[in-house]
Amino acid sequence: QVQLQESGPGLVKPSQTLSLTCTVSGGSISSGSYYWSWIRQPAGKGLEWIGRIYTSGSTNYNPSLKSRVTISVDTSKNQFSLKLSSVTAADTAVYYCARSTYYHAFDIWGQGTMVTVSS
Amino acid sequence: EIVLTQSPGTLSLSPGERATLSCRASQSVSSSYLAWYQQKPGQAPRLLIYGASSRATGIPDRFSGSGSGTDFTLTISRLEPEDFAVYYCQQYGSSPPRWTFGQGTKVEIK
C-alpha cells in the first residue's frame, strides 16, 4: 500500500525559501501513470494546488505561484520535493503531498506538515 | 480560471438525515474530472468520489455523486456520526493543467 510522508522545516523566515520533501513508500514513484502534487491549506481555510510533477520531470504549476515554485523528483530515493522562494506570512499553511491518477483526483495524501513563516 | 462555489457553507443535520451538497462551476467542467473529498479536523482530505459519480475504493454506498456541466451534487443518504466533516469539490482543467477546489461545506451535527 503506497504511503506518502512530508518532511522539512516547520519554521521558515520571511524572504527565505521553503523546502519540503515527500517520501513515497510501499511502491515505486516511477510505476504507473501517476502525477505527484503539492497542495497547501492555511489554517481554517480551503485547499490550494501548488504544482505537480511526473517522473519524467515534467512539471505544471499554479499560475498564482509559478514564479516562486520549483518541484523536482529523485526517483532513486523515491522522493519528490517542493521549493517555494521569497516566502511571506501568507505562505503559512499545512503542506500536503498527494498522488493523482488518470482521472485526475488525489487518491493518496500525506498526513501534512505545518510550515510557519515567521522571523 | 474555473471557480467552484459550494453551497451551503454549513449544513446542520442530525444523524440518519440526508445531506445534499452543491458544487457549482463558473464554466462547464468535464464530469470525468470532478471529485469530492471529505476532511476531518487534523486529517488530510480523503477521496470520496471521482469522475463526478464513481465511488473511490472503500467508500460506503451511502455516498453518491451526480451532475454535469456546471452543477454537481454530493449526496449522503443517511448521515452516520463519522460523516460530520468538511467536504470539498475539486475539478481538473487540462489547458493548462491545474486543479481547483471549492471553498468547502461543513456538515455539522444539529
Side-chain angles (χ1 to χ4, degrees), chain A residues 9-24:
Chain A
L11 181 65
V12 181
K13 288 182 168 52
S15 80
Q16 294 192 341
T17 295
L18 177 161
S19 297
L20 296 174
T21 296
C22 182
T23 299
V24 180

Side-chain angles (χ1 to χ4, degrees), chain B:
Chain B
E1 177 189 355
I2 295 178
V3 176
L4 299 179
T5 302
Q6 294 186 239
S7 61
T10 301
L11 199 50
S12 298
L13 295 168
S14 301
E17 289 193 294
R18 180 184 188 90
T20 303
L21 288 66
S22 173
C23 176
R24 179 161 291 177
S26 58
Q27 54 187 282
S28 186
V29 170
S30 169
S31 297
S32 298
Y33 301 149
L34 192 288
W36 290 91
Y37 300 84
Q38 176 194 68
Q39 188 178 34
K40 296 179 181 179
Q43 296 184 16
R46 177 174 71 143
L47 177 65
L48 299 175
I49 301 288
Y50 65 92
S53 60
S54 297
R55 274 186 300 277
T57 303
I59 302 303
D61 60 8
R62 64 180 181 272
F63 290 93
S64 63
S66 63
S68 64
T70 59
D71 291 298
F72 297 88
T73 300
L74 174 69
T75 301
I76 311 171
S77 59
R78 287 178 57 85
L79 282 164
E80 297 288 340
E82 62 268 28
D83 298 338
F84 291 92
V86 179
Y87 293 83
Y88 293 95
C89 59
Q90 165 251 303
Q91 72 87 29
Y92 170 80
S94 58
S95 298
R98 68 180 299 179
W99 283 266
T100 53
F101 294 87
Q103 83 280 15
T105 290
K106 182 179 182 180
V107 179
E108 65 176 23
I109 299 176
K110 186 174 181 180

Side-chain angles (χ1 to χ4, degrees), chain A residues 35 37 39 41 45-49 51-52 60-64 96 100 102-107 109-112, chain B residues 32-35 37 39 42-47 49-51 56 88 90-92 96-103:
Chain A
Y35 285 91
S37 283
I39 297 162
Q41 184 174 37
K45 297 188 177 181
L47 299 157
E48 180 181 36
W49 174 73
R52 74 171 185 185
N60 299 100
Y61 301 128
N62 187 324
S64 68
Y96 296 101
S100 63
Y102 67 92
Y103 45 79
H104 297 296
F106 300 106
D107 65 337
W109 296 66
Q111 65 183 27
Chain B
S32 298
Y33 301 149
L34 192 288
Y37 300 84
Q39 188 178 34
Q43 296 184 16
R46 177 174 71 143
L47 177 65
I49 301 288
Y50 65 92
Y88 293 95
Q90 165 251 303
Q91 72 87 29
Y92 170 80
R98 68 180 299 179
W99 283 266
T100 53
F101 294 87
Q103 83 280 15

